[in-house]
Amino acid sequence: VQLVESGGGLVQPGGSLRLSCAASGFTFSNYGMSWYRQAPGKERELVATITNSGRSTYYADSVKGRFTISRDNAKNTVYLQMKSLKPEDTAVYYCYVLRVDYWGQGTQVTVSS
């Protein structure tokens, strides 16, 4: 199993980023996927979840209306579109496979002027 996140970086407040998580080694379309994040000195927190079909999503209150989770089962990839970024969104972002507890290596997002 391999989960490879990409798309992180440094962005100014109010800016946008799109994270990608490319999955391999399992039947991607059978599993719900989540994005988590962990800021320095804080616990890892759930950001968003999408069902295996993509029909249902869940968002943490802190990102609702600003972030969008989506997936492309043909490409075995889950995305996190982030808009109106705030300094408090700064964290390492991880993708996660539900039910089987697989984690990616994480990608750093830094929101700063």
Side-chain angles (χ1 to χ4, degrees):
V1 172
Q2 195 170 19
L3 299 169
V4 180
E5 296 103 332
S6 61
L10 173 64
V11 63
Q12 292 187 343
S16 299
L17 282 175
R18 189 177 82 153
L19 306 183
S20 299
C21 173
S24 60
F26 65 102
T27 307
F28 180 75
S29 59
N30 285 353
Y31 295 91
M33 298 290 296
S34 292
W35 285 96
Y36 281 77
R37 67 186 181 186
Q38 187 166 21
K42 295 188 176 182
E43 293 188 355
R44 195 171 293 190
E45 64 172 349
L46 176 63
V47 175
T49 296
I50 188 166
T51 56
N52 63 314
S53 66
R55 293 194 188 98
S56 296
T57 57
Y58 162 84
Y59 296 94
D61 286 344
S62 58
V63 306
K64 204 171 292 183
R66 300 187 298 121
F67 290 11
T68 303
I69 189 170
S70 62
R71 64 190 297 158
D72 185 337
N73 285 346
K75 295 183 178 180
N76 288 356
T77 301
V78 62
Y79 304 97
L80 186 68
Q81 178 69 53
M82 305 185 294
K83 299 180 180 180
S84 302
L85 283 160
K86 305 175 181 180
E88 51 263 43
D89 295 318
T90 295
V92 178
Y93 285 71
Y94 300 89
C95 65
Y96 174 77
V97 186
L98 275 66
R99 295 194 286 125
V100 292
D101 201 31
Y102 298 151
W103 291 92
Q105 84 288 351
T107 186
Q108 176 71 47
V109 172
T110 302
V111 184
S112 175
S113 55

